[in-house]
Amino acid sequence: MDLSVEPGPNRTRRGLLIVLSSPSGAGKSTISRMLLSADPEVTMSISATTRPIRKGEQQDRDYHFVSEGEFDQLIAAGEFVEWAPVFDYRYGTPKAPVKAALKAGRDILFDIDWQGTQQLHAAMGEDLVRIFILPPSVQELERRLRARGTDGDEVIAFRMQRAGSEISHWAEYDYVLVNRDTDTCLAQVRAIVAAERLKRQRQLGLVPFVRDLVAGR
Ligand code: 5GP
């Protein structure tokens, strides 16, 4: 898939695509929210989904909530960088905002599962940084799911089972963090982002800069 972008006027580096995956309850949403408010260069990718809107969610802020038919049309029109079935619904990442953010030299954060991460990796390769967040223990994961107070025993048992299958993909990620404490985990994510931005191949204009240095200009 060609998502190559021309350098924009204010870009000193290539934008970064940051994937955060974890089983639900490992603290991923909290870390995402904190990263977004701490770092103005990062914007969130808003997915489309066929799942019904939950209490407290907002159309086009949390997701683009669409019908099954609309989702089919988006697939047919080639509007997704990736899409996958998760639980009983389908989720997909719109292509256009990703392209726009990269062009502007911004970084984009994706809260997607392992299936979407594999597809993004295939489409975007080197621009992608994959981070997996693990819970500190099974007991703590279950405690966090129950603390939300939104799900009954049956749903929690299902989510725990699903957590096992999500975690089995941990080795497909570049970085794996254990979220024992939110502040520490956020600091680790920020350290990864800072280091990845400094990678040689992401720094545009480095070649002429070094050429001038070497030439004594
Ligand atoms: P929820 O319905 O609880 O918001 O999300 C359920 C799961 O779907 C989460 O694991 C989340 O990471 C995943 N997800 C959300 N958006 C996307 C997407 O655009 N693509 C893929 N592949 N997974 C997504």
Side-chain angles (χ1 to χ4, degrees):
M1 190 175 306
D2 182 19
L3 279 178
S4 57
V5 286
E6 296 296 316
N10 302 317
R11 297 176 69 219
T12 54
R13 63 178 178 84
R14 287 174 71 81
L16 203 59
L17 308 181
I18 308 156
V19 168
L20 275 190
S21 294
S22 78
S24 69
K28 175 182 52 179
S29 317
T30 309
I31 301 287
S32 300
R33 253 197 320 274
M34 290 167 86
L35 177 63
L36 288 168
S37 68
D39 191 332
E41 287 181 53
V42 182
T43 51
M44 188 84 201
S45 163
I46 300 170
S47 299
T49 182
T50 57
R51 137 166 114 55
I53 191 162
R54 288 186 194 133
K55 203 162 166 246
E57 287 181 330
Q58 246 177 51
Q59 172 71 303
D60 300 331
R61 184 196 66 186
D62 299 287
Y63 282 104
H64 305 297
F65 295 95
V66 299
S67 67
E68 293 287 348
E70 285 167 331
F71 202 93
D72 286 338
Q73 281 170 13
L74 290 167
I75 295 173
E79 297 280 351
F80 288 132
V81 199
E82 65 76 31
W83 71 269
V86 184
F87 301 111
D88 292 332
Y89 305 105
R90 291 183 291 172
Y91 295 78
T93 303
K95 199 187 282 179
V98 174
K99 211 170 163 172
L102 280 180
K103 189 167 182 180
R106 287 197 309 271
D107 303 319
I108 313 164
L109 182 64
F110 301 86
D111 171 348
I112 61 177
D113 78 336
W114 64 271
Q115 307 174 83
T117 306
Q118 284 185 351
Q119 293 177 53
L120 259 195
H121 183 62
M124 308 300 294
E126 292 214 324
D127 289 322
L128 196 66
V129 179
R130 298 163 294 182
I131 306 174
F132 198 89
I133 299 181
L134 289 169
S137 67
V138 171
Q139 292 78 10
E140 178 60 16
L141 184 66
E142 186 163 348
R143 194 196 65 74
R144 289 181 192 171
L145 285 177
R146 290 195 184 281
R148 289 177 174 180
T150 48
D151 301 318
D153 282 351
E154 203 176 311
V155 174
I156 287 180
F158 177 69
R159 284 187 184 275
M160 290 299 290
Q161 186 193 335
R162 163 104 198 153
S165 88
E166 185 76 24
I167 288 173
S168 72
H169 291 275
W170 69 278
E172 295 160 24
Y173 286 73
D174 304 305
Y175 298 92
V176 179
L177 308 177
V178 179
N179 185 10
R180 296 192 173 83
D181 161 81
T182 307
D183 288 337
T184 307
C185 191
L186 174 68
Q188 289 169 335
V189 170
R190 297 197 69 189
I192 293 166
V193 170
E196 288 286 341
R197 283 173 179 160
L198 290 172
K199 275 202 167 156
R200 189 186 65 240
Q201 61 269 33
R202 294 214 171 91
Q203 296 194 55
L204 303 173
L206 208 50
V207 170
F209 177 75
V210 174
R211 202 187 297 128
D212 284 355
L213 274 185
V214 171
R217 286 194 284 263

